[in-house]
Amino acid sequence: MKLSKLVVAVGLAFAFSAHANTLPVEEAVLTSPPLVPPPITRDHAAKVVVKMETVEKVMEIADGVEYMFWTFGGSVPGQFLRVREGDEIEFHLSNHPDSKMPHNIDLHAVTGPGGGAAASFTAPGHTSVFNFKALNPGLYVYHCATAPVGMHIANGMYGLILVEPEEGLPPVDREYYVMQGDFYTKGAYGEQGLQPFDMDKAIREQADYVVFNGAVGALNGDKALTANVGETVRLYVGNGGPNLVSSFHVIGEIFDKVHVEGGDLINENVQTTLVPAGGAAMAEFKLDVPGNFIMVDHSIFRAFNKGALGMMTVEGPEDKVVYSGKVADNVYLPEGSAVQVMPNGHPKVTAKNKEERMMYGKRVYEANCQACHQGGGEGIPGAFPPVADSDFLNENPTRAVDVVLHGLKGPIKVNGQAFDSIMPAMRLSDEDVANVLTYVLNSWDNKGGEITPEVVAKRREEGKPIVMEGSAH
Ligand SMILES: [Cu+2]
């Protein structure tokens, strides 16, 4: 490099970093729910480096019911982020290499187009970096905003970021992180096994599960929140939605103070506070008597029939004047829990004929394909192409083997509709690939036929990811 160029380059680098360099740099402490990072003690702004990772993983949504969650940091809700008003945040969003989908983040605490969404759009195995300044104090939701947005949120991609005001928040004895979300599964509430996402129910807003912190019972029993008589508690309550508004209530407590909608306005002596989808509230109360305090969405069928029920166990001396009665244990345990537990996954199978291949293939489809291509193979317009009556599939079924084995990206046309997205490579055995494609080929007006494990094995050796021409990715 010529000396003059070098000087310009160094000069530029300095110009870009000079301002940020005046602030002390620190790495954010991120916590998984129900924990909250410690209060900020500094009395000046800092440059805060945040490193968050999107991870897709199967977890229990209820006893014996599994769900493929898409997460920020491996939990639902995602990790809690705490910064101070005036801080400059350098946000690193990494998408785990095993992810099947691209993800991004829209933080409601960001002032700027999309809340960071476009700047943070991240393919699997990549990291995006963007910066923002926390201009307004308050408690804010963040969520994934990758298309189809509703689906990413419905799968659990949301969390909270607290921007403390410059003067800080009044100290309390305990702080907890509770976030509600609604979930839509093919099976009804409690139906065992791995349950795929149900787009139709989501559009109709007919939730099967409404839960705090990602699962029925996530805050019950030995996972209940704890506190002692005499202590003050601050709950950071969020609602990821995607659809439902929460009527947040703690049975047997009155919120001494609520930061309405997570902002500056403080309401006092509140029984039930409304937490909008994509919104938050801070609820504070002092504990005067011991016992189990049940947190609910007071849209009450959600609490007792869909999972929106958590617990805070308070220990300490009774105060018979404040409350004389006997506090019974387990009165409010949710119905339908611990009915039946099925072994995870299904045993390895070898199909003896085409009928068996289709039967086993149906299971593979429901567990691996249905979330995107939908239960009737109809797909989702603009996002996932149909595999029902698909000219792309029927024209060349062996190519479909490659699609499942190695993935597909770039523009394609299916039945006249254009798609330009990414189908991830599926980690399936030769047998499973043969079974699922035989099932698909013989369902929903496709042309029939059979794919054998031998064909799949051969394609596995030869193939590589298919990139359609003109790919923008
Ligand atoms: Cu996402």
Side-chain angles (χ1 to χ4, degrees):
M1 194 187 278
K2 272 196 202 142
L3 186 62
S4 59
K5 266 193 191 161
L6 184 70
V7 170
V8 172
V10 170
L12 274 176
F14 182 75
F16 280 124
S17 58
H19 175 56
N21 278 347
T22 60
L23 293 177
V25 181
E26 59 181 57
E27 189 162 332
V29 180
L30 301 175
T31 58
S32 296
L35 301 180
V36 178
I40 291 169
T41 50
R42 38 184 172 81
D43 60 358
H44 54 85
K47 174 172 174 176
V48 180
V49 178
V50 176
K51 291 183 178 158
M52 216 182 250
E53 186 188 37
T54 52
V55 185
E56 301 165 5
K57 67 189 231 197
V58 173
M59 296 188 282
E60 281 208 328
I61 189 165
D63 266 340
V65 187
E66 293 184 318
Y67 190 82
M68 171 56 90
F69 290 94
W70 298 350
T71 73
F72 288 101
S75 60
V76 177
Q79 289 159 313
F80 196 104
L81 178 55
R82 187 170 197 153
V83 298
R84 182 177 178 276
E85 179 182 1
D87 281 354
E88 294 180 17
I89 290 100
E90 181 182 293
F91 203 105
H92 298 237
L93 187 69
S94 301
N95 191 356
H96 195 282
D98 288 347
S99 291
K100 294 176 174 172
M101 306 294 292
H103 297 293
N104 65 9
I105 191 164
D106 166 353
L107 299 115
H108 292 178
V110 168
T111 305
S120 61
F121 185 83
T122 310
H126 288 251
T127 300
S128 300
V129 184
F130 68 105
N131 298 280
F132 69 95
K133 183 165 180 173
L135 298 178
N136 302 63
L139 182 61
Y140 298 93
V141 167
Y142 66 77
H143 62 87
C144 182
T146 302
V149 178
M151 184 172 173
H152 284 252
I153 295 179
N155 284 342
M157 300 200 77
Y158 43 76
L160 290 179
I161 168 172
L162 172 67
V163 181
E164 283 196 27
E166 280 178 356
E167 66 279 12
L169 290 169
V172 289
D173 297 304
R174 289 170 195 260
E175 296 183 317
Y176 289 113
Y177 173 21
V178 177
M179 196 161 183
Q180 183 169 321
D182 31 301
F183 290 86
Y184 303 82
T185 52
K186 282 285 175 224
Y189 179 83
E191 207 168 304
Q192 303 281 288
L194 182 64
Q195 291 292 331
F197 168 67
D198 188 318
M199 187 71 165
D200 282 338
K201 287 182 183 173
I203 292 171
R204 281 183 273 123
E205 307 192 7
Q206 292 170 349
D208 298 284
Y209 296 87
V210 183
V211 295
F212 297 128
N213 291 7
V216 177
L219 295 173
N220 289 353
D222 55 7
K223 285 174 278 177
L225 306 180
T226 57
N228 296 315
V229 169
E231 289 180 337
T232 47
V233 174
R234 179 180 293 127
L235 297 181
Y236 296 101
V237 186
N239 186 3
N243 288 320
L244 304 179
V245 163
S246 175
S247 301
F248 188 75
H249 176 80
V250 177
I251 302 178
E253 263 302 335
I254 296 144
F255 303 137
D256 301 320
K257 273 195 214 170
V258 172
H259 281 257
V260 178
E261 293 168 3
D264 288 349
L265 181 67
I266 293 179
N267 196 359
E268 294 186 359
N269 304 324
V270 175
Q271 57 190 307
T272 299
T273 191
L274 209 56
V275 189
M282 294 182 246
E284 298 174 17
F285 46 96
K286 179 164 183 272
L287 296 155
D288 299 296
V289 294
N292 288 331
F293 292 85
I294 311 289
M295 301 176 277
V296 296
D297 178 340
H298 214 299
S299 291
I300 208 70
F301 273 101
R302 296 179 190 165
F304 293 104
N305 300 77
K306 297 186 174 184
L309 185 150
M311 197 184 283
M312 177 176 286
T313 304
V314 178
E315 294 188 343
E318 304 258 6
D319 183 336
K320 298 281 185 194
V321 176
V322 174
Y323 185 69
S324 69
K326 181 174 167 186
V327 180
D329 275 352
N330 301 335
V331 173
Y332 290 110
L333 273 186
E335 294 164 22
S337 56
V339 183
Q340 184 195 1
V341 179
M342 287 216 320
N344 293 343
H346 55 87
K348 290 258 177 296
V349 292
T350 311
K352 288 194 279 295
N353 52 44
K354 190 174 155 191
E355 271 59 52
E356 282 196 8
R357 204 173 285 303
M358 284 165 61
M359 187 181 79
Y360 296 140
K362 184 169 192 283
R363 292 189 204 158
V364 178
Y365 185 84
E366 285 169 356
N368 295 280
C369 322
Q370 183 165 290
C372 296
H373 292 292
Q374 303 297 292
E378 68 273 27
I380 295 178
F384 305 116
V387 289
D389 193 14
S390 157
D391 57 0
F392 187 95
L393 168 69
N394 291 314
E395 183 185 297
N396 185 349
T398 321
R399 176 175 60 188
V401 175
D402 295 346
V403 169
V404 174
L405 283 176
H406 308 295
L408 174 67
K409 68 188 212 173
I412 58 166
K413 263 206 171 145
V414 182
N415 301 342
Q417 286 186 305
F419 295 86
D420 185 1
S421 183
I422 302 172
M423 153 121 177
M426 297 277 130
R427 288 188 188 165
L428 297 172
S429 66
D430 294 349
E431 176 80 22
D432 280 350
V433 174
N435 294 352
V436 74
L437 284 174
T438 302
Y439 167 69
V440 170
L441 279 170
N442 291 279
S443 305
W444 316 307
D445 295 330
N446 284 322
K447 71 168 184 182
E450 182 173 1
I451 302 281
T452 61
E454 290 70 37
V455 169
V456 179
K458 193 147 175 291
R459 298 306 307 161
R460 196 187 286 279
E461 280 187 6
E462 295 169 3
K464 54 179 177 330
I466 312 176
V467 180
M468 304 304 285
E469 279 189 18
S471 169
H473 297 277

